[in-house]
Amino acid sequence: MRPAKKSIRLSPSQVLVLGMLAVIWTGAFLLSLPISSQEGTRLPLIDALFMATSAACVTGLVTVDTGTYFSIFGQIVLMILMQIGGLGFMTMSTLFALMLRKRISLRDRLVLQQALNQNDMSGLVRLVRKIILYSFVIETVGALLLAIRWSFDMSVGRAVYFGIFHSVSIFNNAGFDLFGEFRSFTLHVNDPIVNLVGITLTILGGIGFIVMADLIEWPERKQLSLHSKVVLTTSAFLIAAGTVVVFVFEFTNSSTLQPLSWSGKILASLYQGVTPRSGGTATLDIASMRQATQFFIVILMFIGAAPGSTGGGIKVTTFAVLIGAMVAMLRGKEDIVMFRNRLAKDRIHKAITLTLFGIGTVAIITMLLSALEDRHFLMILFEVTSAFATCGLSMGLTPGLSELGKVIITVTMFVGRLGPVTLAFALQPKPEKELYRYPEGQITIG
C-alpha cells in the first residue's frame, strides 16, 4: 500500500500573501513587455516589479511617468492591477466564482474573512456583492463626471478614457495619473469639479465598504454600527485637522497656496487634507510645502484610512482606540468607552500591536534608506511612510532611487498593503496551545 500523500494546507494569511505575489509578478511580466511602453522598449525588471507592486498595493509611487512612458496597453494593465488591489484579489476571485455559480467553500470564506478584516464569517458573500456593486456604481459616476469635465479640454474618446482611469485610480486610493511629468492633479488646482469629484472618490474609498453599506441602509435601520460611528467621526476630525494645518502653514507660501484665490486656497487645503488618508493624488506640489506641513502629512499618511477600505495605514479605528486608551488612562478609567460601548481588551492589544509594527517598519526602512540614499531625512521619511501606508504622495525621491532603494520601497509597499501582522501570521509556524501560564508580575510604567 502506498502511503497517502500529504497535502499542503495553507493558512488564510499564507493564501493572501501568495495570491498577492502572483498578481504582482503577473503584472510585472506584462509591464516589462515592449507592448506596454509607448516606444516599444522593455521596462527593466526592477522598475516593472516596482510599478506592478505600486499598482497592486494601490500606492501610487512611480519610477517612470505613467502618462508618458506607458502605452494604452500598459496603462490598462496598471488599471486592472489597481482594481484588483483596491478590492482585494479574494473579492475578485469570489466575484468570478459567483458569476460561474460555483459554491464558496468554508476555506474560501476563511480567507475572505482575513482579507476583508472581518471578525466573523457571517454575511461575507453578501458583503462581497455589496463591494462589487458599490465600486461599480461609484467608479462609473466618477468616470462620467470627470469625462464630461475633460471633454471640454480634449477629444471625447480621450476624455472618457481619462475619466475611467482616474476614477478607478482615485476611488481605489491608488494615486496614479496620466497628466505626465509627475504633476499629478496640480494643473487642476482651481478646478472645482475635478477637486470635488476627487475628494468625494477618495473619501468613499477610504471609509470602507462596511461603512458605506451602513450609510445606505441607515434610512431603514435608523442606526449606525459602532464601527461606522468611530470611522466617520475620526475621519471627519482628521480631514478637518489636515485642511486647517495645510491652510495655516501654506497660506503665505508662494509655491503653494499664496497665488491662489480664496476659493482656490480653501479647495486646495481641503484636497490636501483629504488625500493623505491614502488617496495619493495632489493638487499642490508636495515638495514645495513647508517642512511643518510635510511632517503633518506624514502623520496623516501613517494613520491612513478605515479597515475594509481601499486605503492603507494603521487605520483610523486603530488611532481612535489608542486615543481612547490614553483618555481612559488619564481619567483613571479601566474601560475604553466609545458611543456608550465598552471595547474588548483584545481590540486594544491589536491596536497597540499594529501601531508598534507600523512604527518599527517605518523606522527600520527609513534608517536603511538614509544609509543608502544621499537625500534629506524628511524626504526619506515621507517616501517610506507613503509606501508603508500605500498612500502614494511623493516629494520626488522615488524616481531617483538606487536599484537597492527601489527594492526596499517595493517590499515596504507589499508589507504595508498586506499588513505586518498578516505577514507575521503567514510566516509563523502553526501555533501550539499553551499548557500553562506564568505567574503575574509587576513593573513600573512611566
Side-chain angles (χ1 to χ4, degrees):
M1 246 180 108
R2 286 185 179 179
K5 289 184 179 179
K6 278 190 176 182
S7 60
I8 300 175
R9 301 286 293 178
L10 298 175
S11 69
S13 297
Q14 291 170 333
V15 172
L16 288 177
V17 171
L18 293 176
M20 199 66 173
L21 284 173
V23 170
I24 288 171
W25 278 104
T26 302
F29 170 74
L30 294 174
L31 291 177
S32 67
L33 297 176
I35 193 177
S36 291
S37 71
Q38 292 188 13
E39 297 181 359
T41 56
R42 279 189 174 273
L43 183 66
L45 180 59
I46 183 62
D47 290 306
L49 181 62
F50 188 103
M51 295 295 290
T53 304
S54 184
C57 297
V58 289
T59 304
L61 294 175
V62 295
T63 56
V64 295
D65 187 71
T66 310
T68 56
Y69 181 87
F70 289 105
S71 64
I72 298 294
F73 176 83
Q75 291 168 3
I76 290 175
V77 169
L78 287 172
M79 186 163 56
I80 293 172
L81 289 174
M82 287 187 285
Q83 191 72 79
I84 294 174
L87 303 185
F89 84 94
M90 273 307 300
T91 302
M92 302 299 288
S93 300
T94 305
L95 170 64
F96 288 122
L98 292 173
M99 290 172 62
L100 297 173
R101 299 185 180 279
K102 287 188 175 181
R103 180 177 170 272
I104 310 299
S105 67
L106 176 62
R107 184 160 186 77
D108 292 335
R109 291 172 190 267
L110 284 170
V111 180
L112 258 180
Q113 180 187 355
Q114 179 85 24
L116 298 176
N117 199 18
Q118 296 297 292
N119 296 326
D120 54 62
M121 289 190 293
S122 60
L124 281 177
V125 177
R126 186 166 64 252
L127 177 59
V128 167
R129 289 195 179 99
K130 289 179 180 178
I131 290 173
I132 301 300
L133 176 62
Y134 297 164
S135 300
F136 176 77
V137 171
I138 293 169
E139 289 177 358
T140 300
V141 173
L144 183 62
L145 292 173
L146 291 174
I148 292 172
R149 165 61 190 87
W150 286 329
S151 64
F152 292 96
D153 301 333
M154 56 187 77
S155 66
V156 174
R158 186 173 174 80
V160 169
Y161 175 67
F162 266 51
I164 293 172
F165 184 95
H166 290 99
S167 182
V168 171
S169 175
I170 299 172
F171 175 71
N172 288 293
N173 283 200
F176 285 82
D177 71 272
L178 301 177
F179 296 108
E181 300 178 15
F182 304 100
R183 289 179 296 190
S184 193
F185 279 55
T186 53
L187 294 175
H188 302 282
V189 64
N190 285 308
D191 193 316
I193 295 177
V194 174
N195 275 263
L196 292 176
V197 171
I199 289 169
T200 304
L201 288 174
T202 303
I203 291 175
L204 289 176
I207 61 175
F209 298 102
I210 304 169
V211 178
M212 273 193 274
D214 253 10
L215 290 173
I216 290 172
E217 295 169 3
W218 184 82
E220 295 179 7
R221 297 169 53 190
K222 300 294 182 184
Q223 188 177 3
L224 293 176
S225 66
L226 174 63
H227 171 82
S228 296
K229 291 176 182 177
V230 172
V231 168
L232 292 173
T233 53
T234 310
S235 298
F237 169 76
L238 292 172
I239 290 171
T243 302
V244 170
V245 167
V246 172
F247 186 84
V248 170
F249 284 96
E250 298 301 316
F251 189 82
T252 57
N253 189 339
S254 59
S255 300
T256 55
L257 287 186
Q258 189 187 48
L260 304 178
S261 63
W262 269 96
S263 60
K265 286 181 172 69
I266 294 171
L267 206 56
S269 299
L270 178 60
Y271 200 101
Q272 268 57 234
V274 169
T275 197
R277 304 277 324 292
S278 203
T281 56
T283 58
L284 296 176
D285 181 15
I286 302 296
S288 299
M289 289 181 171
R290 293 195 167 101
Q291 289 189 6
T293 313
Q294 293 167 345
F295 184 70
F296 192 76
I297 289 175
V298 167
I299 296 172
L300 292 179
M301 288 192 298
F302 184 76
I303 296 171
S309 71
T310 59
I314 62 169
K315 303 298 189 293
V316 293
T317 48
T318 302
F319 174 72
V321 170
L322 293 177
I323 296 298
M326 182 183 71
V327 171
M329 177 66 69
L330 292 175
R331 296 177 61 187
K333 303 290 185 181
E334 184 177 347
D335 297 323
I336 299 176
V337 178
M338 293 182 176
F339 297 98
R340 298 184 179 180
N341 284 269
R342 176 174 53 85
L343 297 186
K345 296 294 184 184
D346 69 306
R347 300 295 89 186
I348 304 167
H349 295 158
K350 186 173 183 180
I352 294 171
T353 302
L354 285 171
T355 304
L356 291 178
F357 259 121
I359 293 173
T361 302
V362 171
I364 291 170
I365 300 301
T366 301
M367 286 193 298
L368 285 175
L369 278 185
S370 296
L372 291 171
E373 311 290 336
D374 185 19
R375 298 297 183 94
H376 193 276
F377 174 77
L378 182 57
M379 178 182 278
I380 294 174
L381 175 64
F382 192 100
E383 218 81 359
V384 170
T385 307
S386 181
F388 172 77
T390 68
C391 179
L393 292 177
S394 176
M395 290 174 62
L397 173 66
T398 303
L401 285 173
S402 63
E403 298 293 297
L404 184 55
K406 291 175 184 178
V407 172
I408 291 173
I409 291 294
T410 300
V411 174
T412 305
M413 291 188 291
F414 184 75
V415 171
R417 183 55 182 162
L418 286 175
V421 176
T422 298
L423 288 173
F425 285 156
L427 297 174
Q428 75 176 5
K430 189 175 179 181
E432 296 180 0
K433 187 176 179 181
E434 293 184 358
L435 301 178
Y436 56 88
R437 296 179 69 188
Y438 290 101
E440 186 177 284
Q442 298 291 331
I443 61 172
T444 302
I445 301 293

